Structure formats: C-alpha cells, structure tokens
C-alpha cells in the first residue's frame, strides 16, 4: 500500500491478460479492469476488510483486452499494519471461476424453468429429506406451499417444523408414522390428512411422494401435495344425503311391511267370502264375472 504496487505471479497475468514479463501493476490498473456494474461491490468488500477485519473475499467480473468477461474470486489477508492501524500490506490471490459461474447460471436457469412449471400447478411440488439422525428438511418446495401450508418456500426450507406445527393435532402422529413407514419400506407415501392454518377452518390435504435412499443413508421423497378440502366437503355432504336416503328407505320398508301385514287378514277374509258367494250361485255367470273382478 505504501508504494501502490501489486506484485503478482505469471498465472495472475494470464488471467488478467496483463502480458508476459510483468511482475507488478498499480492498484488503479487492477481497479480499471473490474466490470463497471461489479466495481462498487468489489471495492466495498476490500474497504470493509481494511476497516473492520483482516480478511476479504469477493467474486466479480473483469474485462479482458478482447472485451470478454471473466469471473474471478479475489481473496486475501491483511498481513501488516502500522502502529495506528493503517494498512501497509495485503497478501492474496485470484482464481478464474468462470466455468463454475457458467455451471451456476445453467443450474439457476434449469431451476427457474422448474419453478415456472411447478408454479402453474394448483398444489405444491416438493422434495422432503429424512436423515439417519432424524433431521428433516425440504430441499425444494414450489410457491404452491403458500396455498398448502400458508408458508413461503424459504420458511419450510429453513425450518421443517413450521409445516408440522400446522398439522391438525389428531392427525400429527399419523403423518409422522406414515413417513417413517415409507422410509423403512421405500413404498410410495400417500396420505389424506388435515391441517389447521391460522385464521382458516380445518382443511384437507392429499400427499403423494416416491422415496429413494441416498448414499449418505438419508431418504429423499419427490412428491406433490394438493388441497382436497372441497372434495372432502362434497364427500361429507354426499355421505349425509346417503345416510338420509338409507333412513328414508328403511322407514319405507317398515311402512310397507306393516301395511301389508295389517291388510293380509281382512283381504283373506274378503276372498273367503267371495269364494263362498261363488259356491252359493254356481250358475249365475254375471255374478261370477263380478266375483272374478273382485278377486
């Protein structure tokens, strides 16, 4: 810092394209190569390290001679200060991380596509992981988790208990046992259960997920949860109507049985009298016609 020079090795010059045989440059030369949108952040990290700590680290882009951009990771230590605490010397390094950044951007692009597709669904796409020590996490949850659990993806990622707390008390143990059973057998997890979101009535959820065992011994489920509250309400309404219909049919059966039982005796008596009349008037065809109609 005293003389404003930055000494570096050959690889440093290759990354920055400073040319061969150059052992040092000025700090201003280095700063001028930083991509303008990243310059404030990079200089801020260094200034913060100088004022409050002895270590700095940042990732930013530099502009090479041909105009192309290269991502670098710049890190270093303050190794000397004067008696007043003023900075005298820094020892550090830079690394070309362009390939890693390309992978990260591609991964982010793929994740953005997944998020856009998942967010078109009315329910929640998710990954759920159970570790051998019992720890549980949601590595991924689509924005549908707001509809299902009233939480953000960030909330369930940081704290899985936030989703367990909204389970209906009578169903909480059932849900946890079903997860354990699926982990032991590696059978598909499928369950209908209730939730109680703050400010809402009891809701019903249907979860379906396929488990797989990972190399670290943990179980990872890939699944989907949907809100089936309306379906459950319709089922309950239909069940009530069926119960009422069965009750009405039962009452009708009893009425028919009672009526037929009560009418059997007098009708039998009437038929006996008709038979007797036929015997008393065996030759009267007109009466026999009436007796037949009466029967």
């Amino acid at each position: 810092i005293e003389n404003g020079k930055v000494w570096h090795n050959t690889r440093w010059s290759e990354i920055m394209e400073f040319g061969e045989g150059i052992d040092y440059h000025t700090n201003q030369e280095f700063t001028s190569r930083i991509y303008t949108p990243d310059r404030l952040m990079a200089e801020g990290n260094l200034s913060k390290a100088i004022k409050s700590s002895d270590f700095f680290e940042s990732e930013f882009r530099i502009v090479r001679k041909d105009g192309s951009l290269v991502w670098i990771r710049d890190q270093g230590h303050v190794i000397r200060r004067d008696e007043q605490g003023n900075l005298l010397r820094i020892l550090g390094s830079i690394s070309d991380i362009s390939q890693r950044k390309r992978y990260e951007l591609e991964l982010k692009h793929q994740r953005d596509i997944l998020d856009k597709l998942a967010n078109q669904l009315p329910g929640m796409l998710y990954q759920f992981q159970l570790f051998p020590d019992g720890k549980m996490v949601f590595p991924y949850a689509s924005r549908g988790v707001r509809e299902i659990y009233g939480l953000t993806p960030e909330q369930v990622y940081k704290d899985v208990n936030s989703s367990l707390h909204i389970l209906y008390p009578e169903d909480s143990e059932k849900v946890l046992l079903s997860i354990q059973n699926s982990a032991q057998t590696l059978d598909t997890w499928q369950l209908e259960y209730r939730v109680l979101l703050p400010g809402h009535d009891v809701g019903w959820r249907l979860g379906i997920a396929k488990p797989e065992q990972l190399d670290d011994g943990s179980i990872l489920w890939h699944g989907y949860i949907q809100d089936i509250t309306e379906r459950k309400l319709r089922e309950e309404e239909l069940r009530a109507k069926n119960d009422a219909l069965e009750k009405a049919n039962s009452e009708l059966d009893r009425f028919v049985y009672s009526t037929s039982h009560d009418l059997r005796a007098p009708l039998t008596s009437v038929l006996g009298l008709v038979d007797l009349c036929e015997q008393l008037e065996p030759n009267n065809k007109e009466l026999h016609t009436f007796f037949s109609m009466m029967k």
Side-chain angles (χ1 to χ4, degrees):
I1 301 301
E2 295 171 296
N3 56 27
K5 290 182 179 180
V6 182
W7 297 82
H8 51 79
N9 63 3
T10 303
R11 177 59 183 150
W12 205 101
S13 293
E14 292 174 355
I15 294 174
M16 298 291 295
E17 278 194 343
F18 266 55
E20 297 180 3
I22 299 178
D23 297 329
Y24 69 88
H25 62 276
T26 65
N27 192 49
Q28 289 75 16
E29 287 180 283
F30 175 71
T31 303
S32 67
R33 291 291 190 93
I34 299 176
Y35 187 47
T36 303
D38 298 350
R39 187 171 298 163
L40 189 62
M41 177 271 296
E43 293 179 340
N45 286 344
L46 180 57
S47 298
K48 183 179 178 181
I50 293 172
K51 293 177 181 178
S52 61
S53 68
D54 290 330
F55 176 78
F56 69 92
E57 181 179 13
S58 60
E59 296 179 358
F60 51 87
R61 289 162 290 185
I62 60 170
V63 183
R64 306 184 77 175
K65 289 181 179 179
D66 62 1
S68 62
L69 295 178
V70 175
W71 274 96
I72 68 169
R73 180 169 181 256
D74 186 16
Q75 58 182 345
H77 289 272
V78 175
I79 61 173
R80 186 181 300 172
R81 296 179 184 270
D82 62 18
E83 293 180 356
Q84 289 73 40
N86 297 316
L87 182 65
L88 296 179
R89 181 172 292 185
I90 292 174
L91 179 65
S93 67
I94 64 169
S95 306
D96 185 346
I97 59 170
S98 300
Q99 187 173 14
R100 194 198 82 194
K101 282 294 183 179
R102 284 194 291 270
Y103 290 152
E104 289 177 356
L105 290 173
E106 178 61 24
L107 184 61
K108 182 180 182 301
H109 176 65
Q110 296 297 332
R111 191 180 182 93
D112 288 343
I113 292 176
L114 173 61
D115 285 341
K116 288 177 181 179
L117 292 173
N119 293 332
Q120 298 304 310
L121 298 172
M124 163 190 169
L125 284 178
Y126 72 98
Q127 287 180 315
F128 180 80
Q129 192 167 7
L130 174 64
F131 291 91
D133 62 0
K135 179 184 176 182
M136 297 179 289
V137 298
F138 279 98
Y140 173 81
S142 67
R143 286 202 300 241
V145 70
R146 295 178 183 271
E147 170 197 348
I148 299 301
Y149 289 144
L151 301 168
T152 65
E154 292 75 21
Q155 284 175 308
V156 296
Y157 175 75
K158 293 178 180 178
D159 181 18
V160 72
N161 289 322
S162 59
S163 62
L164 299 178
H165 289 160
I166 59 102
L167 294 176
Y168 194 65
E170 294 180 6
D171 290 358
S172 180
E173 184 177 358
K174 178 178 69 173
V175 172
L176 293 175
L177 284 176
S178 67
I179 293 173
Q180 292 292 341
N181 290 336
S182 178
Q184 292 172 5
T185 63
L186 293 182
D187 290 334
T188 298
W189 177 75
Q190 182 168 343
L191 188 69
E192 294 182 359
Y193 59 96
R194 290 167 291 181
V195 296
L196 187 57
L197 275 61
H200 292 76
D201 294 330
V202 175
W204 279 91
R205 303 291 184 262
L206 168 63
I208 303 175
K210 181 68 176 176
E212 64 172 317
Q213 188 163 19
L214 304 184
D215 293 338
D216 62 0
S218 66
I219 307 297
L220 181 66
W221 284 265
H222 306 267
Y224 174 72
I225 299 175
Q226 65 182 113
D227 185 344
I228 58 169
T229 304
E230 288 189 12
R231 194 198 82 190
K232 280 293 186 178
L233 291 176
R234 289 196 299 269
E235 288 178 358
E236 187 62 31
E237 182 181 356
L238 182 60
R239 188 179 298 110
K241 289 181 178 180
N242 285 338
D243 290 344
L245 183 59
E246 288 179 1
K247 182 179 179 181
N249 285 338
S250 178
E251 291 175 351
L252 181 60
D253 287 342
R254 286 196 297 271
F255 171 75
V256 171
Y257 174 80
S258 176
T259 302
S260 63
H261 181 270
D262 292 344
L263 290 177
R264 180 177 298 276
L267 286 175
T268 301
S269 298
V270 171
L271 286 174
L273 292 173
V274 172
D275 289 337
L276 181 61
C277 290
E278 286 180 324
Q279 294 175 16
L280 293 174
E281 295 289 340
N283 299 320
N284 192 328
K285 293 182 179 180
E286 187 176 2
L287 286 178
H288 275 272
T289 299
F290 295 149
F291 293 149
S292 178
M293 293 173 65
M294 292 166 70
K295 286 183 177 180

